[in-house]
Amino acid sequence: MFGRLGLDALPFYSAVAAGGALVTVTGALLVLGVISYKRQWRYVWSEWLTSVDHKRIGVLYVLLALVMLLRGFADALLMRLQQATALNSGGFLSPGHFEQIFGSHGTIMVLFMAMPFAIGLINIVVPQQIGARDVAFPFLNLLSFWFTAAGAGLVLVSLVIGKFSTAGWTGYPPFSGLEFNPGVGVDYWIWAVLISSVGTTLSAVNFIVTILRRRAPGMNLMRMPVFTWTALCTSSMILFAFPALTASCGLLAFDRLFDGRLFTSGGGGNAMAYINMFWLWGHPEVYILALPAFGIFSEVVATFSGKPLFGYRSMVFASVAIALVSFGVWLHHFFTMGASANVNAVFGIATMIIAVPTGVKVFNWMFTMYRGRVRFHTSMLFTIGFMIAFVVGGLTGVLLAIPPVNYLVHNTVFLVAHFHNMLIPTVLFGYLAGYQYWFPKATGFRLNDDLGRWSFGLLFAGFWIAFMPLYGLGLMGMPRRLERYTDPAWQPLLLVAAAGAVIIGAGIALLGVQLIKSIRDRARQIDASGDPWDGRTLEWSTASPPASYNFTSIPMVSGRDAFMLAKRANAASTVTTYVSINIPKNSAAGPALGFAAFVFGFAMVWHIWWLALAASVGCVAAFSWRGDPESETVIVPAMQVAEEEKRRGRMAPIADMRSP
Amino acid sequence: MTTTSTGSSEQEQEADDRALGFWLFLLGDLVVFSLLFATYVVSTRSAPSLTAADFSLLRVAQETAALLASSFAFGLGVEAARCQRFVLARALFAGAMGLALIFLALELAEFVALAAAGKTPATGAGVSAYYALIGAHGAHVASASVWLAVNLIRWRSGVWSAWAIENFARLGVLWHFLDLVWIGIFSVVYLPEFFP
């Protein structure tokens, strides 16, 4: 009836694990309790959880990302403290628990922090940047969010019921196979990844169609803001890369469910087939995460330098080049696999080639700042910090791209230092820059800039202190994922790294303080104009926060930086009549299908077959039962549009972007 | 932009968008299948795998015939629906559904026979890859059948809206796509064993 599920699934094997479970459950109960106490269920349900408004969905994605950032960082802190103390001793974490922690840290940070953060920001911004009222498939957008949330839910539930994977975030067989890992941990990992990747793939389809087909008149491809360009590149990469993740994880699930021999040591299995497929997704994934961040930096640097972006064309070509080349470098994750020297050389050279368009971008950002009137908003600080740290990470990346060097530092913490040196400046700083930059657009008020600067300072300093020692440790030969060690020479550097992690923690805590304080002071921080930073692109032409339909009338675009052109030409307010607008209807099917997907994943993990079958058939059937597109929209009458605009203080909306 | 532009041209554009989105989704699905094919080819080269002796040529021929006929019926059904002949369309779709179920039953029978002969996934990587590839295709056919069943329940009688016709046509694209994948399976998995 309940498969493998029993009372022994509760986490009483370790005090730390039980504590984590307690925090998770308490946190969830607290959120539910506060909503109930404030009697806001109706509001939360109808305005947020079932809303198909792309801005609302984007905010939900960002909230999910911030929650998962806390969880992923808690894992990181535990690892750093363990390694700082585990010289010749077991530290405070058992080996099996330590393995779960580094697995969930990587999985969460890549798939449930970075991905939702990126897709959230894309959701909030891209439709507005291209002058569209919504994405092409609003319901699908909601569904994508709920599938991602279902995956994240599985990871969180694994903390309370059962265990998480001990096979790392990459789940390499044969260790992740049935023989060495018969428990539920790897299954939690597999089904969380598979379910969320369905959501991500649907998002990609949605944004490709939105960007290709829903642009305002006059906005040809080479007039699109760079963030929109990077969103298009990222979506296309998702569409081609995520199927590889689906295949690799799906086949691993097959091996585990049916006692297969695809990736086992015996029976002719080939673990390298899995590893190839995994990185066929995994390497593009690095750029799937990086490109939107590059887009954010491009927007921020142009706005706060008060200049058009330097080298727009080369920026676009660089993004597309990165997107294409990133599919040809996956083998550099396992130069030691034993492919011939020639194969390694090809992939090594391809890896170095990808540094070229990336370098072009760095120069473009610098030249944008050159002779600009630079304003040091928090998002600009993140951008500058990124440029400095990113170049260092890029250099160590080129070092790693040389196969003979790679053999020497393979699987050491040098690698760990390198990819954190890429991902923290790019992804974390990038998305936080976007968060600080677009926050007023999403909410209607600005974040406290002083606290933002302090947070940046701590994150930036903490990053160097936490990760530079790992380069040294890697060269000293320290392997990654060590739960204990005997070399006393490593400990001083590990203590420094732990201190860095604590400083990063303080930076993250300040982000929380900033958010709370800004919400409390929202009356003073209000963004009445809708354009707090003297922005250049169309999202700043709407009110903050925008009406559900974004634009009262679709803007006409006559060049790049369309909103700046309109402001220069003083082309505001040529339309004073309002028309009625079609907007998509809320849908309870989104959260319902997401819940069904969660139940399906949970049932697959615990081998509750009847439930898995019911949930999957229910999911497909409900998804097929899609309403008539006609019946899925409601009309906002012109009167209501006029009232809405008046309420937002936008009696004279900027409607016609044509220069006079 | 004025109110008048929210007429049929916008609806047509939205229908086009849905078509484009669905084709993009199929593109992603195609990548999954190509990786499954690659896994099959790699796994059967060096590991215990199935041979002509394990397959029944007759059953494979029946499966292929059922699936191709189902696809043909579906294509005719979409044409009939576009010509507003809804009773005929419903009959053709029901036929397509029946043939797909026959295909699934045959496939299941094949799996059962193989397992009874001791050829389970645990036999070796080649056999595992066979089950994975054929199973993934079968799971797709089963999901598409659930979609078709929902549509047949939903539009039982009367005149279909433009959306209903579009919905069937969209499912038809998936139906034909799965047919093409089967032709790939037939050529890569079965044919080389019978005619080496």
Side-chain angles (χ1 to χ4, degrees), chain A residues 289-519:
Chain A
L289 296 175
L291 279 176
F294 293 165
I296 292 166
F297 294 132
S298 305
E299 302 293 336
V300 167
V301 86
T303 299
F304 290 107
S305 302
K307 281 172 65 190
L309 186 69
F310 182 91
Y312 172 90
R313 245 165 215 287
S314 59
M315 205 61 128
V316 170
F317 286 124
S319 303
V320 176
I322 289 172
L324 291 175
V325 181
S326 72
F327 279 90
V329 299
W330 79 90
L331 194 127
H332 71 211
H333 292 270
F334 40 88
F335 276 138
T336 53
M337 173 174 77
S340 73
N342 288 340
V343 171
N344 280 356
V346 166
F347 280 90
I349 291 166
T351 307
M352 291 179 212
I353 285 175
I354 214 168
V356 175
T358 318
V360 166
K361 289 185 165 232
V362 175
F363 281 110
N364 279 344
W365 291 315
M366 291 199 299
F367 285 129
T368 307
M369 288 171 67
Y370 179 66
R371 290 198 167 170
R373 188 166 297 169
V374 181
R375 286 171 290 155
F376 293 97
H377 179 250
T378 305
S379 60
M380 192 64 194
L381 293 180
F382 274 115
T383 305
I384 295 169
F386 149 78
M387 283 195 252
I388 298 164
F390 182 72
V391 171
V392 176
L395 284 175
T396 60
V398 174
L399 272 179
L400 281 166
I402 305 166
V405 176
N406 193 298
Y407 266 73
L408 293 178
V409 291
H410 179 80
N411 247 359
T412 66
V413 288
F414 186 90
L415 170 78
V416 175
H418 161 68
F419 69 71
H420 283 90
N421 197 342
M422 299 311 276
L423 287 172
I424 290 182
T426 312
V427 173
L428 189 66
F429 289 6
Y431 299 166
L432 286 178
Y435 165 76
Q436 307 275 340
Y437 180 63
W438 283 306
F439 190 90
K441 184 47 66 185
T443 61
F445 57 95
R446 282 171 285 120
L447 284 168
N448 184 310
D449 208 30
D450 290 333
L451 284 170
R453 278 168 226 249
W454 274 104
S455 172
F456 162 76
L458 288 170
L459 288 172
F460 190 66
F463 156 72
W464 292 103
I465 298 169
F467 290 102
M468 290 308 115
L470 296 195
Y471 278 123
L473 284 166
L475 293 175
M476 288 157 73
M478 180 180 170
R480 66 195 293 202
R481 296 173 173 173
L482 265 195
E483 168 264 342
R484 67 179 76 192
Y485 53 95
T486 51
D487 188 342
W490 294 347
Q491 196 175 31
L493 286 174
L494 285 168
L495 284 168
V496 175
V502 172
I503 297 173
I504 291 177
I508 293 176
L510 264 190
L511 283 177
V513 175
Q514 182 199 31
L515 183 61
I516 293 166
K517 185 163 164 53
S518 307
I519 292 174

Side-chain angles (χ1 to χ4, degrees), chain A residues 237-288:
Chain A
M237 292 166 74
I238 289 174
L239 185 64
F240 285 99
F242 267 74
L245 181 66
T246 308
S248 57
C249 283
L251 289 174
L252 185 62
F254 173 88
D255 256 11
R256 294 177 58 83
L257 286 172
F258 305 108
D259 193 20
R261 293 288 178 269
L262 288 169
F263 307 131
T264 53
S265 317
N270 184 353
M272 288 317 300
Y274 171 91
I275 296 173
N276 268 288
M277 274 191 279
F278 183 85
W279 287 110
L280 205 50
W281 161 76
H283 198 85
E285 169 69 6
V286 174
Y287 289 95
I288 287 170

Side-chain angles (χ1 to χ4, degrees), chain B residues 113-128:
Chain B
L114 279 171
K119 303 279 182 175
T120 59
T123 314
V127 186
S128 296

Side-chain angles (χ1 to χ4, degrees), chain A residues 625-638:
Chain A
W625 194 282
R626 295 282 298 107
D628 201 317
E630 287 292 289
S631 68
E632 290 196 342
T633 57
V634 282
I635 294 172
V636 184

